[in-house]
Amino acid sequence: MTDVSRRVFLRRSGAVGGGLLAAGVLAACGGESGSGSASVSSGKVELNLWTHDPGYVKTFTEQAKRLTEAPGGRYDYTMKFTNADSEALVTRMISTGAAGRGTPDMIGIVISVFPRVMSGGIGKQLFAPLDDLAAPVKDDLLRTAPYSIDGTLYALESDTCLSVLYYREDEWGKNKIPADIATWEELAEVGAKLHEKTGQSLGMVSTGDNTSITNQFLQLLLQRGGGYYDEGGNLVLDSPEAVEVLEFMAKGVRSGFLIALPDPYGAPNTAALKNGKLIATVMPNWYNVYGLQANVPEQKGKWKIRNLPKFAGGGHLASAMGGTGFAVLKDKPGTAAALELLKQTYLTPEGQLLRFQMGGFLPTLKSLYKDQKLLSTEDAYLGQRVFDVYTPAAADSPTFYQNEKLNTLIEALGGPMLETLQGKKPAAQTIKEAAAAYKKNGG
């Protein structure tokens, strides 16, 4: 994914509601079954794939080529790609779905935009259900919950997006900071003393738009064992874990352990990295390429990753942020061929290894985290075997549940959270206010 598209993803979290088109408008469409074209069961097939990320273009192009050239291959694939912002693609898909023509055969939907298709029956009417496709690896497959609607799976995750702790090994060594600090509470104490001494920070919070503010919070909340919703889509934000995490962040800002940045992915973040003010941060695996290598290539070999410190009160070893689910449009001539391409790319070890090789996407099959090819992989920028960190992280990463009203919650939470980070409002008050505002606004 390009740096620009990462920023778009993090800033735009389904800002346009899923109710753009009423369910009744889509009811007669169900993809493009009315086009009169027969389903292609073998031979030549042209698939139109929409995505926001050139990494997926490379991956699917290569996989389609391999499947076409394989002895006894069922399909002769020709791929067409449309690249644009994920939210714009979803808007276009919904409008073309209502018109009954012009939808893609496959589409990649950013995790924070997916709630739009959960609303009004849109996903159910446009997408092919994937439970049968995924059944052979169901117990091995990670991150299905965010792309499920009423218990049915409609998209497959592209990356586990494991959150780890990035840290400047040289700066930590110079300041005699142990690399194996076990808890967040211990690291916060060390970070406060460091900031008082050098002005440096060991993490960041966002004070910019609501999406960035809440994303930083969500990573730690999930790790602590909390969340926004439960498996049934019910709001569970108002919890002791949420108050604890928000208080932890606010205290970290006051002590200087955490630096407050208006944009954690743009110029302010880059400046903090370049001038050595930010020497550690919690981010997903993709931050290596799109945050560090893109902005501070000259710091190659200085950064390392480790698993997150745990909260003293409990929780997980890891967390996650971001993701993209690929869905197949149903009742189209290319539906069967698209399902086969998705299966071979996302539900087989060979396909998952290809995705890692072509785009750096971490496997979503748990068993692959023991694969010797991956375990021996050394990242050139970090200068370490990254799966020594990712393998235990994948084994203890939280589940993220979605709801079609996610954007309503983000809007309700962002403003009050900023006030807490600025020392203007207690954390417990912020959480209660956000939960009340969410319910008042139809959540």
Side-chain angles (χ1 to χ4, degrees), residues 102-257:
T103 57
D105 296 288
M106 299 176 66
I107 185 170
I109 306 176
V110 165
I111 192 169
S112 54
V113 181
F114 194 80
R116 290 189 58 192
V117 302
M118 299 174 74
S119 178
I122 292 173
K124 293 180 180 180
Q125 294 168 63
L126 290 180
F127 298 150
L130 302 178
D131 292 284
D132 290 345
L133 194 74
V137 294
K138 178 181 179 181
D139 294 335
D140 198 27
L141 191 60
L142 296 165
R143 302 198 86 196
T144 58
Y147 305 102
S148 296
I149 305 174
D150 294 336
T152 298
L153 181 64
Y154 286 98
L156 295 180
E157 175 60 85
S158 301
D159 192 340
T160 43
C161 298
L162 293 168
S163 295
V164 296
L165 183 68
Y166 292 83
Y167 68 99
R168 279 279 298 270
E169 185 181 41
D170 58 333
E171 291 290 337
W172 280 43
K174 184 171 70 175
N175 290 287
K176 296 181 173 56
I177 303 173
D180 59 352
I181 292 175
T183 69
W184 277 116
E185 290 78 4
E186 292 174 271
L187 188 62
E189 289 184 17
V190 170
K193 293 176 182 176
L194 175 72
H195 184 77
E196 184 177 5
K197 176 184 175 184
T198 69
Q200 295 171 303
S201 297
L202 300 181
M204 63 177 169
V205 300
S206 173
T207 56
D209 61 86
N210 288 337
T211 300
S212 294
I213 293 171
T214 55
N215 271 339
Q216 298 300 112
F217 168 71
L218 180 59
Q219 281 188 103
L220 295 180
L221 178 60
L222 290 171
Q223 190 202 2
R224 179 60 182 86
Y228 286 166
Y229 301 100
D230 63 15
E231 187 174 3
N234 304 299
L235 186 71
V236 293
L237 172 68
D238 191 358
S239 68
E241 291 83 5
V243 174
E244 177 188 333
V245 168
L246 187 52
E247 285 180 342
F248 173 80
M249 293 173 65
K251 183 179 178 181
V253 173
R254 291 195 300 271
S255 72
F257 157 55

Side-chain angles (χ1 to χ4, degrees), residues 140-143 157-164 285 307 318-320 349 352-353 355-356 360-377 385-397:
D140 198 27
L141 191 60
L142 296 165
R143 302 198 86 196
E157 175 60 85
S158 301
D159 192 340
T160 43
C161 298
L162 293 168
S163 295
V164 296
N285 55 281
N307 284 121
S319 189
Q352 296 232 339
L353 289 171
R355 290 197 291 113
F356 178 69
F361 307 112
L362 291 184
T364 53
L365 290 175
K366 290 180 282 187
S367 56
L368 281 180
Y369 284 86
K370 299 178 182 179
D371 184 277
Q372 290 304 312
K373 291 180 182 178
L374 293 180
L375 292 175
S376 62
T377 300
R385 289 177 19 144
V386 289
F387 279 87
D388 290 345
V389 177
Y390 293 145
T391 294
D396 188 15
S397 185

Side-chain angles (χ1 to χ4, degrees), residues 310-328:
K310 281 195 170 183
F311 283 96
H316 300 274
L317 179 64
S319 189
M321 185 172 76
T324 297
F326 270 85
V328 171

Side-chain angles (χ1 to χ4, degrees), residues 231-407:
E231 187 174 3
N234 304 299
L235 186 71
V236 293
L237 172 68
D238 191 358
S239 68
E241 291 83 5
V243 174
E244 177 188 333
V245 168
L246 187 52
E247 285 180 342
F248 173 80
M249 293 173 65
K251 183 179 178 181
V253 173
R254 291 195 300 271
S255 72
F257 157 55
L258 302 176
I259 185 174
L261 298 171
D263 181 356
Y265 309 100
N269 178 65
T270 300
L273 294 172
K274 284 185 176 295
N275 63 27
K277 292 294 184 182
L278 181 62
I279 61 170
T281 188
V282 179
M283 276 289 169
N285 55 281
W286 47 257
Y287 188 74
N288 174 16
V289 174
Y290 304 108
L292 297 179
Q293 294 185 41
N295 296 312
V296 284
E298 70 280 4
Q299 293 179 7
K300 177 181 179 180
K302 296 181 178 181
W303 286 91
K304 292 287 185 284
I305 61 171
R306 52 153 286 183
N307 284 121
L308 300 178
K310 281 195 170 183
F311 283 96
H316 300 274
L317 179 64
S319 189
M321 185 172 76
T324 297
F326 270 85
V328 171
L329 280 287
K330 67 180 180 180
D331 299 330
K332 292 174 63 73
T335 295
L339 287 169
E340 180 65 15
L341 178 61
L342 185 64
K343 173 185 175 181
Q344 295 300 329
T345 312
Y346 278 63
L347 299 175
T348 67
E350 297 79 11
Q352 296 232 339
L353 289 171
L354 174 67
R355 290 197 291 113
F356 178 69
Q357 292 162 0
M358 300 298 291
F361 307 112
L362 291 184
T364 53
L365 290 175
K366 290 180 282 187
S367 56
L368 281 180
Y369 284 86
K370 299 178 182 179
D371 184 277
Q372 290 304 312
K373 291 180 182 178
L374 293 180
L375 292 175
S376 62
T377 300
E378 181 167 313
D379 183 89
Y381 183 86
L382 300 172
Q384 70 181 111
R385 289 177 19 144
V386 289
F387 279 87
D388 290 345
V389 177
Y390 293 145
T391 294
D396 188 15
S397 185
T399 300
F400 174 55
Y401 295 108
Q402 296 242 61
N403 182 287
E404 64 185 57
K405 297 292 186 179
L406 175 63
N407 191 61

